[in-house]
Amino acid sequence: MRAPDLPVSIERPPAALSVSSFVSSFDRFAVTPMLVLIAKDLDVSLSASVTAASGYYLAYGLSQPLWGLLSDRFGRVRVMRGALLGAALAGLVSSLMPVLGALVAARIVAGACFGAVIPTSLTYVGDTVRASVRQRALTDLMASASLGTALATGLGGVLAGLLNWRVAFVVPAVCALVCAFALRSLPEPTRAGPAGAARGVGRYLGAVLGHGWALLVFGLAFVEGAVLLGVMPFLATALEHAGFAAAVAGLAITAYGLGLWALSKLVKRLVGRWPAPVLMTVGGAQLCAGFAIVTVHVSLPTVTVTALLLGGGWSFLHSSLQTWATSVVPEARGTTIAFFASALFVGSAAASWAAGPLADHGRYTLLFGLAAGAAVPLTVVAALARRRYGALGAEAPQPQPE
């Protein structure tokens, strides 16, 4: 039975959405400290094992426009439930794959399915939370995802090091199955009627792809994904290259999720007090400083500090970008968020693929230095563009979708 439509009235994301976002983040980041172990177990190079992560990210990103259109057409909750069921199956299959090619194929399917969860959750919040408090609700959702990230990087490394790397794929798969059933009682947000939605696919795409500000936000998301999500997994491999165990490397990267969780709480308090361009500037500065530290020296303390700063950078910069994305084309919010997430994870996939050979040869100084340098223009363009957007009055209150 379909849940009743929900009017715009809530101020916090529903618990079922927060838990689902937690599980999605866990699955996405659990592989980070396992890449070296996968390479050894399957007898492949590190750059080859990285395809298990980059393939996941690419599928996660490329599937976003489809999920956005489907959620605009059929509903947010229905799409998330179906995707979680597919993710559960793909995760279980991933744990059984004996060769790299089969593992990569299973991870691609898992990435494509888990790709529906967080963007559709963001869209749900955009549909149901009024604009004046939306970034606070989005930071709550991001805090749940960050806890998933923290546990994934820490627990993933521990499970891989003490038990087997395959176990780390089973845990989120089982949780995804539970979440799919838990979402049954979540009401659908009010959206366009079936007849209008059926003829509206072209209208949604046209509204989004013909909007200059939306295209700019997508470009910024691509670069952010490349700089942060594409390079961050190599913090763990850099530590393992320096002689640390996978479990230790994973625990060091846990600082990213903990920093994200703690500083997202700070961002929630600063929203409304600090302008969005200032929040973006603070976040970008943390990204640059974090990668600069490990460019100078890779050690357990420096990687831990860098991971903490990257979590802060994501809290300040990314939350501001995704809030911007929820409001830039409100009449096609699901499609907009889908393209935003697609750009983010296609950027991360491209960067992780390109960085694989550098990591394979131990050239981490060059890798992290490039990330630190790229964070500078990202921050400058994002802050100036967001300031210009506000100055033009483009962020005036928008009508909510019918």
Side-chain angles (χ1 to χ4, degrees):
M1 179 179 296
R2 181 178 179 273
D5 284 345
L6 182 69
V8 179
S9 61
I10 66 174
E11 295 191 1
R12 300 186 63 183
L17 284 189
S18 296
V19 174
S20 297
S21 297
F22 171 94
V23 173
S24 177
S25 290
F26 187 101
D27 188 76
R28 191 166 73 248
F29 284 96
V31 72
T32 299
M34 301 192 301
L35 294 173
V36 172
L37 293 178
I38 291 174
K40 291 180 179 178
D41 190 36
L42 300 183
D43 194 25
V44 297
S45 66
L46 175 60
S47 60
S49 72
V50 167
T51 58
S54 59
Y56 183 106
Y57 295 150
L58 187 62
Y60 194 108
L62 291 178
S63 66
Q64 299 302 314
L66 174 62
W67 294 126
L69 290 169
L70 290 176
S71 74
D72 279 337
R73 171 65 180 87
F74 297 106
R76 319 306 187 198
V77 179
R78 184 181 299 177
V79 164
M80 278 191 287
R81 291 191 64 215
L84 283 166
L85 290 173
L89 179 60
L92 293 174
V93 171
S94 298
S95 68
L96 302 174
M97 293 298 97
V99 295
L100 181 64
L103 173 63
V104 171
R107 296 314 295 160
I108 287 174
V109 175
C113 291
F114 268 119
V117 178
I118 291 182
T120 309
S121 298
L122 294 174
T123 306
Y124 191 100
V125 170
D127 287 341
T128 57
V129 179
R130 66 183 186 274
S132 61
V133 295
R134 188 175 297 151
Q135 187 164 358
R136 294 187 179 94
L138 290 172
T139 54
D140 282 339
L141 194 65
M142 190 170 65
S144 300
S146 68
L147 286 177
T149 301
L151 285 180
T153 51
L155 186 58
V158 170
L159 290 175
L162 300 182
L163 297 176
N164 190 288
W165 57 266
R166 299 177 186 275
V167 177
F169 292 138
V170 175
V171 173
V174 173
C175 292
L177 186 62
V178 174
C179 287
F181 285 98
L183 285 171
R184 288 181 301 172
S185 60
L186 189 66
E188 281 284 359
T190 302
R191 64 184 195 282
R199 65 175 182 268
V201 171
R203 175 167 56 85
Y204 291 136
L205 286 173
V208 172
L209 298 181
H211 198 293
W213 285 112
L215 295 179
L216 175 61
V217 173
F218 301 156
L220 292 170
F222 180 91
V223 178
E224 182 193 32
V227 171
L228 179 55
L229 298 181
V231 178
M232 189 179 69
F234 295 100
L235 291 175
T237 64
L239 281 177
E240 292 178 67
H241 182 82
F244 292 91
V248 176
L251 288 173
I253 309 304
T254 300
Y256 167 78
L258 295 177
L260 201 163
W261 176 79
L263 290 176
S264 67
K265 301 294 185 182
L266 176 59
V267 171
K268 185 176 179 180
R269 292 179 177 273
L270 293 176
V271 169
R273 301 180 184 177
W274 288 14
V278 175
L279 294 173
M280 290 176 169
T281 301
V282 172
Q286 291 179 81
L287 295 186
C288 185
F291 282 121
I293 289 172
V294 286
T295 298
V296 175
H297 181 60
V298 172
S299 66
L300 195 60
T302 59
V303 168
T304 301
V305 171
T306 292
L308 186 65
L309 286 171
L310 296 186
W314 182 267
S315 299
F316 279 82
L317 177 59
H318 184 73
S319 70
S320 300
L321 282 175
Q322 72 183 12
T323 301
W324 191 3
T326 64
S327 61
V328 70
V329 190
E331 66 273 19
R333 186 174 285 121
T335 304
T336 305
I337 293 298
F339 274 98
F340 175 80
S342 178
L344 183 76
F345 287 99
V346 170
S348 70
S352 62
W353 174 80
L358 292 177
D360 216 15
H361 292 89
R363 302 183 68 184
Y364 291 104
T365 296
L366 175 59
L367 174 57
F368 297 141
L370 289 172
V376 176
L378 167 65
T379 304
V380 172
V381 173
L384 292 178
R386 185 62 180 83
R387 181 181 179 183
R388 177 65 173 167
Y389 178 81
L392 290 174
E395 60 183 337
Q398 302 281 357
Q400 295 293 340
E402 296 177 358

